[in-house]
Amino acid sequence: MASKSRVSILDYFNIVCEGENGKIESNCKACGTRIQAKRTVTSNFRKHQAMYDEFVRKKDVKREAMQMCTGPPTGRVISQSGAGMNKFDYSDPRQSLISEAIAKMIIRDLQPAQMVEYEGFRELLQLLEPRYIPVPCHYIQQQLLPAYVSQVQLAAKQALKGAESCSVTLDLWRSSSVGNNSGAGFLGVTCHFINADWHIRSALLACLPLPDHSNTQQMLSEFDEISESHGISGKVFRVIADLSPCENRSAFRLPGFNLIGNGEEDEEDGSDEESSAGEAISSNENNKSLDQCLGRSRIDCFARLLAQCVKEGVCASPQISVPLNKGAHLYNYIVATVAPEKLVQVFGSSTSTNWQRPSSIDKWNAQLKILRQMVESMDFLEDIVDRTDLVLGNLEKAELRELVEVLEPFEEASDMVQGDKHVSISLALPCVLGLRKHLAEVVTHQCSGIVMGLSQALDRRLAGILEDPLYVTATTLDPQFKLSWSSDSDWHKQVLLEEVGKHARPLSPIENHSEAQPSPSKRCKLFSFIKQRPTAQAKTVEQELSTYLHEEPTDEDPLQYWKRKSIDFPLLSQVAKKVFPVPATTTSVDQIFNLVSKTLRPEQCRLLPKNLDTLIYLKANYRILWS
């Protein structure tokens, strides 16, 4: 807003063009005289004495006003009632922009709307822009936020009108700080679809308070109402659901490698072991109930299953926690005592600002990156540490090196499926095959128990993907893979044909005719003497698939490929448009739930905002409002 109130020489001239040698050619607003002046020279401006005097007067007024705004040396802000400075009108665009910026901050940081009435916040506003009229809390809660909600709902419904099909993710969050009812929580319903331009879009359709998170029927009833109100009933292809509450499936961390500095969370996790076991039983019952209600349309989140495999594999070797714990103490010590510029060569300059942020390293794959950087620079780190008790022994270093080597492909798979803008479901099956091959070939001396645990977890949790028609279809329709991964291409080809037969809509004669229509120039009488080419006959599914598989695999983006090939392969492209929006990773609302679980906790003296569901809804859909 400062630029709006700045007193500038250029306010008195209409700029015509910028000439050579940095000269600005302009017309005087008063007399129309053409003048030239360098950027830093005002001598020509002084030729127009009346305007120059006005310019100097305004500069003096602005300087006096700034001094009055600053107040005495004590830093106390003086009221502007007698300063001769008028407040913004409520219709002033600058008033609206500042109010909107405050609302955006409340949404992004999940802050209570009451903060706009805090004395310190109002003093800050007074210092930054004295002309702004602070808005009351109820204006944010009852007008601004509901208006944003209406905007998002309208945009989401409009976008979903053109979607032929979609997939939905159900996320559940429960926190003991929600209220006295320990079963209360929130249900997030996220929709994924491909628009007419073949871009994947995701939108949180609703974030609903749930009095009882264990009531699966209530959740499904809410889901049906949301589907009906957004016009996606009958369009839902797959439902990705894991109804274990977010707070109880918090991000897995490497044992002992807490990286937060005091180990408090480890103790807290141990104290909640019994309640977590009870929640696990409850969530298993919820998931069984979901399977009965949703049938084959319900699937698990691949990224979450992958994290469970890593957890079970690492926990299969309890002795690894000793070097991990020692490595964590070393990390915490160097971050607390060593100057950041010395650590740039270890952790890189791009991440130096996040070294001491627990939120940036609360997941196993993020921790593994830190651990790898430490292992690669262990000699340097030990040289700058003045405590011998933190130095790792040769055996401990070897164990950590092997652990990094074993888990690196799992980290790569986890990173690969992240994001909601690209096709991720087609990557799941090749990832499982690659991980199987890696575990069969890796040679270890210290981590053989982890390798065995990972192999067993992979077979138990992810082996079904290799025969699941959804994953077979998605991987085969990804032009970079096709059937190059298959050990039984005939069988997988038959699986794909069956899936296309189920989900592809046969083209009507009108659609076939419209696609085969010649150009207008060839239909006119003037060119009637030219022999027309015979109309191409519609291909069968078998013919489309045969032609598609005959082409060489390409690294072209799957969405752009099928946008380009939708005319050549109309039936296959229909199935691709159904399958590709299915996410293999977690949603933005799930990440927000994790953030809320870490930051809004009773022991941290942060209360949940009363309209938390609205804030979560708007934060997850932030790009729709302010892209």
Side-chain angles (χ1 to χ4, degrees):
M1 302 308 299
S3 61
K4 297 285 185 183
S5 58
R6 184 181 297 127
V7 179
S8 172
I9 291 176
L10 299 180
D11 293 338
Y12 299 88
F13 298 94
N14 294 317
I15 305 301
V16 178
C17 64
E18 183 173 345
E20 298 178 356
N21 301 323
K23 291 184 177 180
I24 296 178
E25 297 185 6
S26 57
N27 292 331
C28 174
K29 288 184 178 180
C31 61
T33 303
R34 173 71 65 88
I35 68 168
Q36 292 183 341
K38 288 187 177 181
R39 292 179 183 271
T40 57
V41 178
T42 62
S43 58
N44 286 336
F45 176 54
R46 294 192 179 93
K47 294 177 183 178
H48 304 272
Q49 190 62 41
M51 287 196 305
Y52 181 70
D53 292 342
E54 182 185 3
F55 167 71
V56 172
R57 180 177 57 80
K58 286 187 175 181
K59 292 283 281 187
D60 292 340
V61 169
K62 180 173 178 63
R63 189 179 298 110
E64 291 173 5
M66 290 300 294
Q67 289 174 351
M68 297 184 72
C69 291
T70 304
T74 58
R76 210 167 129 261
V77 179
I78 298 178
S79 172
Q80 297 300 311
S81 57
M85 182 171 292
N86 295 327
K87 293 287 187 179
F88 289 140
D89 187 84
Y90 278 112
S91 60
D92 192 302
R94 292 167 292 185
Q95 173 79 19
S96 301
L97 282 174
I98 296 176
S99 297
E100 182 181 43
I102 294 172
K104 289 165 71 173
M105 179 190 68
I106 289 173
I107 292 167
R108 297 196 74 168
D109 298 337
L110 299 176
Q111 295 290 340
Q114 289 85 350
M115 70 173 297
V116 299
E117 297 180 350
Y118 294 166
E119 182 179 354
F121 183 74
R122 294 209 164 188
E123 285 187 357
L124 177 62
L125 287 178
Q126 177 73 7
L127 178 65
L128 296 177
E129 180 49 270
R131 293 171 294 177
Y132 176 72
I133 304 175
V135 295
C137 169
H138 66 80
Y139 173 77
I140 299 285
Q141 288 182 322
Q142 299 174 16
Q143 293 190 46
L144 272 187
L145 296 184
Y148 294 148
V149 169
S150 298
Q151 281 182 253
V152 173
Q153 289 176 341
L154 183 62
K157 291 177 182 179
Q158 191 65 30
L160 287 168
K161 278 184 180 179
E164 299 173 8
S165 66
C166 62
S167 289
V168 173
T169 301
L170 303 181
D171 292 293
L172 181 64
W173 177 69
R174 182 195 68 81
S175 173
S176 57
S177 58
V178 171
N180 295 328
N181 184 359
S182 61
F186 293 104
L187 174 68
V189 181
T190 307
C191 185
H192 319 272
F193 61 97
I194 293 178
N195 63 14
D197 290 330
W198 282 85
H199 293 130
I200 291 182
R201 294 288 181 259
S202 295
L204 180 64
L205 302 187
C207 179
L208 302 174
L210 286 179
D212 182 6
H213 77 270
S214 63
N215 190 337
T216 307
Q217 291 301 324
Q218 181 193 0
M219 297 181 204
L220 293 175
S221 176
E222 297 280 10
F223 170 55
D224 289 339
E225 289 184 17
I226 295 167
S227 300
E228 186 69 31
S229 64
H230 286 81
I232 61 172
S233 295
K235 290 184 177 181
V236 179
F237 176 62
R238 286 289 188 274
V239 178
I240 303 92
D242 179 4
L243 295 188
S244 53
C246 177
E247 186 185 59
N248 297 293
R249 49 175 167 79
S250 56
F252 164 63
R253 294 189 296 267
L254 299 177
F257 208 66
N258 194 17
L259 297 184
I260 295 181
N262 53 16
E264 289 179 2
E265 291 203 5
D266 287 340
E267 295 174 7
E268 182 182 308
D269 290 343
S271 64
D272 291 339
E273 187 173 341
E274 292 184 6
S275 62
S276 296
E279 291 292 345
I281 296 173
S282 175
S283 64
N284 287 336
E285 294 175 353
N286 287 348
N287 289 329
K288 288 179 181 179
S289 179
L290 273 181
D291 287 335
Q292 294 173 355
C293 297
L294 299 175
R296 293 192 61 184
S297 64
R298 184 242 171 190
I299 63 172
D300 289 311
C301 173
F302 172 76
R304 198 167 291 143
L305 291 176
L306 191 65
Q308 286 294 324
C309 290
V310 174
K311 177 179 181 180
E312 293 174 13
V314 174
C315 292
S317 180
Q319 62 269 23
I320 195 65
S321 62
V322 176
L324 280 173
N325 193 47
K326 200 167 183 180
H329 281 96
L330 175 62
Y331 173 85
N332 292 326
Y333 182 76
I334 61 175
V335 166
T337 59
V338 179
E341 54 269 17
K342 287 187 178 181
L343 299 178
V344 168
Q345 68 182 77
V346 179
F347 301 107
S349 57
S350 60
T351 58
S352 60
T353 57
N354 292 325
W355 290 340
Q356 301 187 53
R357 292 184 187 174
S359 61
S360 66
I361 47 177
D362 64 341
K363 296 181 180 179
W364 71 269
N365 50 344
Q367 290 183 342
L368 190 66
K369 290 179 175 65
I370 296 287
L371 183 60
R372 182 191 305 106
Q373 292 166 331
M374 291 180 62
V375 168
E376 292 173 351
S377 305
M378 191 60 73
D379 293 339
F380 170 76
L381 294 177
E382 290 178 349
D383 287 341
I384 62 175
V385 170
D386 55 1
R387 287 179 51 181
T388 56
D389 60 310
L390 295 178
V391 176
L392 276 72
N394 292 331
L395 180 60
E396 293 167 330
K397 294 178 186 176
E399 289 176 324
L400 293 182
R401 272 194 294 269
E402 281 195 5
L403 178 66
V404 169
E405 181 184 359
V406 169
L407 293 184
E408 195 165 15
F410 286 85
E411 174 200 358
E412 185 180 355
S414 179
D415 293 343
M416 195 179 295
V417 299
Q418 293 302 316
D420 59 357
K421 297 274 188 178
H422 67 280
V423 177
S424 58
I425 190 67
S426 63
L427 303 173
L429 190 151
C431 282
V432 174
L433 291 175
L435 292 174
R436 270 187 164 184
K437 183 175 183 296
H438 163 70
L439 293 175
E441 296 176 352
V442 66
V443 177
T444 61
H445 301 286
Q446 314 298 332
C447 297
S448 55
I450 293 178
V451 172
M452 183 178 298
L454 288 170
S455 298
Q456 293 172 351
L458 202 66
D459 289 340
R460 181 168 56 254
R461 293 188 176 274
L462 292 173
I465 284 178
L466 302 178
E467 298 179 358
D468 191 311
L470 169 66
Y471 294 93
V472 171
T473 302
T475 305
T476 306
L477 291 181
D478 190 325
Q480 68 173 315
F481 299 121
K482 297 193 175 182
L483 283 175
S484 58
W485 54 273
S486 175
S487 58
D488 190 351
S489 57
D490 290 336
W491 183 76
H492 288 127
K493 194 182 300 183
Q494 188 59 38
V495 170
L496 181 58
L497 288 173
E498 291 177 3
E499 288 299 295
V500 175
K502 290 179 188 176
H503 304 296
R505 174 179 53 84
L507 297 177
S508 65
I510 296 178
E511 289 173 310
N512 279 327
H513 180 68
S514 63
E515 289 181 2
Q517 282 289 321
S519 63
S521 63
K522 294 183 180 180
R523 292 198 299 269
C524 67
K525 292 182 179 180
L526 181 62
F527 300 139
S528 60
F529 64 92
I530 298 177
K531 186 178 180 180
Q532 299 294 325
R533 288 177 294 178
T535 303
Q537 296 295 320
K539 293 180 181 179
T540 63
V541 177
E542 291 80 2
Q543 290 171 327
E544 280 192 23
L545 182 58
S546 178
T547 306
Y548 165 72
L549 294 176
H550 184 70
E551 297 177 355
E552 287 294 321
T554 173
D555 290 334
E556 184 178 2
D557 179 81
L559 296 173
Q560 293 305 309
Y561 175 89
W562 285 106
K563 179 181 179 180
R564 183 171 58 84
K565 289 285 190 177
S566 58
I567 295 177
D568 297 333
F569 307 126
L571 297 174
L572 293 181
S573 66
Q574 286 184 48
V575 179
K577 212 166 192 177
K578 277 181 177 287
V579 170
F580 284 166
V582 179
T585 185
T586 54
T587 61
S588 60
V589 72
D590 182 75
Q591 295 163 14
I592 295 172
F593 283 162
N594 280 319
L595 175 65
V596 172
S597 295
K598 288 184 295 183
T599 58
L600 305 182
R601 304 173 73 165
E603 63 271 17
Q604 294 175 340
C605 299
R606 277 207 60 185
L607 299 178
L608 293 173
K610 293 180 180 179
N611 56 342
L612 180 60
D613 53 336
T614 301
L615 296 179
I616 291 174
Y617 176 77
L618 293 173
K619 182 177 175 66
N621 290 312
Y622 193 86
R623 287 183 297 191
I624 294 179
L625 288 168
W626 303 286
S627 56

